[in-house]
Amino acid sequence: NAGVTQTPKFQVLKTGQSMTLQCAQDMNHEYMSWYRQDPGMGLRLIHYSVGAGITDQGEVPNGYNVSRSTTEDFPLRLLSAAPSQTSVYFCASSLTLPFSGANVLTFGAGSRLTVL
Amino acid sequence: DQQVKQNSPSLSVQEGRISILNCDYTNSMFDYFLWYKKYPAEGPTFLISISSIKDKNEDGRFTVFLNKSAKHLSLHIVPSQPGDSAVYFCAANAGNMLTFGGGTRLMVKP
C-alpha cells in the first residue's frame, strides 16, 4: 500500500515552459486535491476532484489545469510556468467527505518546483 | 482574505512543559476543525480533530479546544517532547474544501 505518490520530487523550469506533476493513490479514494505551500501562506487549495470525471477550482486555480480520468490519478498541469508558481506542491486524497477526523486528507511527500 | 489564521509563526517551549498553538477563523459554516503536523521534506500528517458541536477533544498528549463564540481553537500538547518539533497547521472544513492556516513552527528544546 503506497498511499499517495507524487512525481517528480524536484523540478526546475524556465518561464513559459509547461509540465505535469503526477499524483497517484492506491487507496480507492474518491476525493483528490492539489495544494501549494508557500512561506507564511500555509497550504492553499488549487483544484480538487470528488470523483472520476469531476473537478472543481479551489482558492488559487489560475495557471493550473487538472483532469480526473481514473479514480487513481489526478495530474496537475502548468500550462505556461511563471516564477510566481515556484512552490512546494502537495497532492492529497481522502475516502470521502467531510473531513471529520474519522475521514481525513492523506498527503503525498510533495514536489518542489522552481521556475526561473 | 484568509479564513483561517495562525497568528504566531513560531513557538519555542522547554521539554516537559505545555505547548499551546492557536488558530482563529472567520467562516461560521466550518463544521470540522483539524490539526496537521508537518516535518521537513514530508507531507502533512493528521493529528487530531474536533466537530463544531463539541468544545474539547483529547487524544493522549494532544487536546484541542474550540470556542465557537470567539471563533478560536487551540491545540495543547502536554508534556511537550523534542520529537514534537514540527510545523503545525490548523484546518477547517466547509463543503468540499479544507482550508488551512499559515502554520506555526514549534520548537521543543531538550
Side-chain angles (χ1 to χ4, degrees):
Chain A
N1 190 341
V4 179
T5 303
Q6 292 183 232
T7 55
K9 291 193 185 306
F10 301 95
Q11 183 72 49
V12 178
L13 289 178
K14 293 182 180 177
T15 298
Q17 286 184 317
S18 63
M19 77 155 299
T20 299
L21 297 175
Q22 301 290 346
C23 176
Q25 52 88 12
D26 60 358
M27 299 173 283
N28 204 30
H29 283 177
E30 288 297 318
Y31 184 95
M32 296 186 75
S33 56
W34 278 101
Y35 286 84
R36 59 178 287 174
Q37 183 193 6
D38 302 292
M41 304 295 290
L43 295 155
R44 292 182 292 169
L45 181 64
I46 304 171
H47 285 285
Y48 67 92
S49 167
V50 297
I54 306 169
T55 64
D56 207 343
Q57 297 181 349
E59 304 168 70
V60 288
N62 292 340
Y64 306 95
N65 209 349
V66 291
S67 60
R68 184 94 180 271
S69 56
T70 67
T71 299
E72 295 77 20
D73 301 297
F74 191 44
L76 179 71
R77 296 182 186 85
L78 282 72
L79 306 173
S80 177
S84 61
Q85 294 178 304
T86 294
S87 188
V88 181
Y89 292 85
F90 290 98
C91 180
S93 71
S94 72
L95 186 60
T96 184
L97 293 164
F99 306 111
S100 61
N103 175 57
V104 299
L105 270 181
T106 300
F107 282 82
S111 298
R112 182 175 292 274
L113 175 66
T114 301
V115 183
L116 303 175
Chain B
D1 188 30
Q2 284 188 296
Q3 297 187 61
V4 179
K5 286 187 181 179
Q6 295 176 254
N7 291 318
S8 298
S10 64
L11 174 68
S12 181
V13 300
Q14 207 66 35
E15 180 180 6
R17 305 296 291 269
I18 185 171
S19 295
I20 299 176
L21 295 93
N22 295 303
C23 179
D24 298 297
Y25 63 95
T26 58
N27 187 348
S28 300
M29 300 303 293
F30 289 140
D31 51 7
Y32 289 98
F33 301 89
L34 299 86
W35 285 92
Y36 277 78
K37 175 178 174 179
K38 185 183 180 304
Y39 292 118
E42 294 182 9
T45 55
F46 169 71
L47 191 57
I48 191 170
S49 67
I50 188 167
S51 164
S52 62
I53 62 172
K54 308 228 170 174
D55 54 20
K56 177 181 174 181
N57 187 27
E58 193 171 350
D59 183 2
R61 297 185 297 115
F62 303 93
T63 303
V64 57
F65 295 93
L66 176 61
N67 182 334
K68 282 186 69 176
S69 60
K71 293 190 172 68
H72 177 84
L73 67 155
S74 61
L75 174 68
H76 292 211
I77 306 174
V78 183
S80 301
Q81 300 173 353
D84 296 329
S85 297
V87 177
Y88 290 78
F89 293 99
C90 68
N93 180 209
N96 294 339
M97 300 205 297
L98 193 62
T99 302
F100 285 80
T104 296
R105 181 177 301 277
L106 173 65
M107 292 162 284
V108 181
K109 298 180 179 179

